[in-house]
Amino acid sequence: MADKIGFTILQMELSYQGHFTRPSFRLLTHESRLLDGLLAGMGQFGVTPADIRLDTAVPSLAEAGITCLLHRNGVHLKIRPDRFEASCLKIPEGDVFARVIRQTHDVVRDSHPPIELQSHTIALPVHGNLEGGVSCADFLRRYITCPPELEPTSFRGAIYQLPGEEERLSSSFEIQPSLLHPGALFTRVTLTLDAQRVTAEKALGAAEAYFRNVLGMLGLEAKGAGGLESVLGGER
């Protein structure tokens, strides 16, 4: 078995979506309870009223919602009629992200008791350098067949869709050259899990394990992640 190629992580982002079992527009028509709960729950992260806004001037109700910015931790949070979302361009240290997810779920559930989660979707976009003198283009050629007449201008990358299994409803991973870090490889792993069988904390832990599994399938070994599972703050 060939040795794995070191994949030194340069930048790692993280996003989470908690989809409700059904849309609830009461979140927008009775927003005072939600706002009170959001301010109380996010106060531990330094959130003030100035960090929360109502987004109502939007093209459709699907885009309406409440936005909360956690400046101290670099997390962008939005609550919509059919889901809530959290994202960060740089994963905060410790279990901050997991705590934000848990607190937001509690706030939404307590404000409007009928609301329950149907699924968790976690995405991990990662940029990294390949070690051992392996170029990004040579690495991608192992998994992508491109007609010679189309190279190099059309040579970009590929997306693999994987079937669901048990609590995993769907998953995919993408590989292509990084647009932010010249010469580096970009990969995005997306995982959707059944919220009736997996908690949000365990979903984050599952995403970390799945990310490493995908890298293993590609013959890569993550380096420089700084203990990824502890950064995501998910249960294993």
Side-chain angles (χ1 to χ4, degrees):
M1 184 176 184
D3 293 335
K4 291 185 178 180
I5 300 171
F7 181 58
T8 302
I9 295 176
L10 301 174
Q11 180 179 341
M12 176 181 292
E13 304 170 21
L14 174 62
S15 68
Y16 168 90
Q17 291 186 354
H19 297 268
F20 306 145
T21 53
R22 62 177 181 271
S24 176
F25 293 100
R26 292 182 60 199
L27 287 171
L28 305 182
T29 58
H30 299 77
E31 72 273 7
S32 59
R33 291 176 60 190
L34 183 60
L35 290 170
D36 288 340
L38 192 60
L39 183 59
M42 296 300 160
Q44 60 184 302
F45 304 109
V47 169
T48 69
D51 302 316
I52 303 174
R53 72 168 187 262
L54 293 173
D55 299 320
T56 55
V58 292
S60 70
L61 285 175
E63 299 301 316
I66 297 172
T67 295
C68 179
L69 300 177
L70 285 68
H71 296 285
R72 181 191 299 174
N73 307 109
V75 178
H76 182 276
L77 175 66
K78 184 153 188 174
I79 301 174
R80 302 179 188 271
D82 62 342
R83 66 191 185 278
F84 72 89
E85 308 165 341
S87 61
C88 52
L89 296 178
K90 180 181 179 181
I91 300 177
E93 296 182 359
D95 63 346
V96 169
F97 196 85
R99 287 163 53 204
V100 169
I101 297 301
R102 181 171 57 249
Q103 190 65 52
T104 305
H105 182 207
D106 290 345
V107 167
V108 171
R109 182 188 57 206
D110 294 344
S111 299
H112 301 276
I115 293 181
E116 294 294 341
L117 290 181
Q118 181 177 35
S119 64
H120 314 282
T121 297
I122 301 114
L124 275 167
V126 180
H127 305 258
N129 282 330
L130 299 170
E131 298 181 352
V134 180
S135 71
C136 181
D138 287 342
F139 176 80
L140 290 173
R141 286 189 182 95
R142 301 181 182 184
Y143 303 97
I144 302 169
T145 302
C146 185
E149 60 271 18
L150 296 181
E151 293 191 42
T153 56
S154 299
F155 184 71
R156 295 307 304 164
I159 299 177
Y160 293 82
Q161 302 284 344
L162 302 179
E165 183 178 72
E166 297 181 347
E167 69 269 11
R168 188 180 73 208
L169 300 178
S170 65
S171 62
S172 66
F173 65 91
E174 170 186 354
I175 50 174
Q176 67 177 49
S178 171
L179 298 179
L180 298 181
H181 302 274
L185 176 71
F186 171 80
T187 178
R188 184 201 314 271
V189 172
T190 304
L191 180 65
T192 299
L193 298 168
D194 185 350
Q196 303 299 312
R197 304 174 66 179
V198 180
T199 65
E201 290 88 351
K202 289 186 177 180
L204 291 173
E208 181 272 332
Y210 188 70
F211 170 69
R212 292 193 185 279
N213 184 51
V214 167
L215 291 187
M217 290 190 296
L218 294 172
L220 300 175
E221 181 179 2
K223 297 184 178 181
L228 181 59
E229 65 277 6
S230 62
V231 174
L232 293 188
E235 298 178 4
R236 300 296 299 277

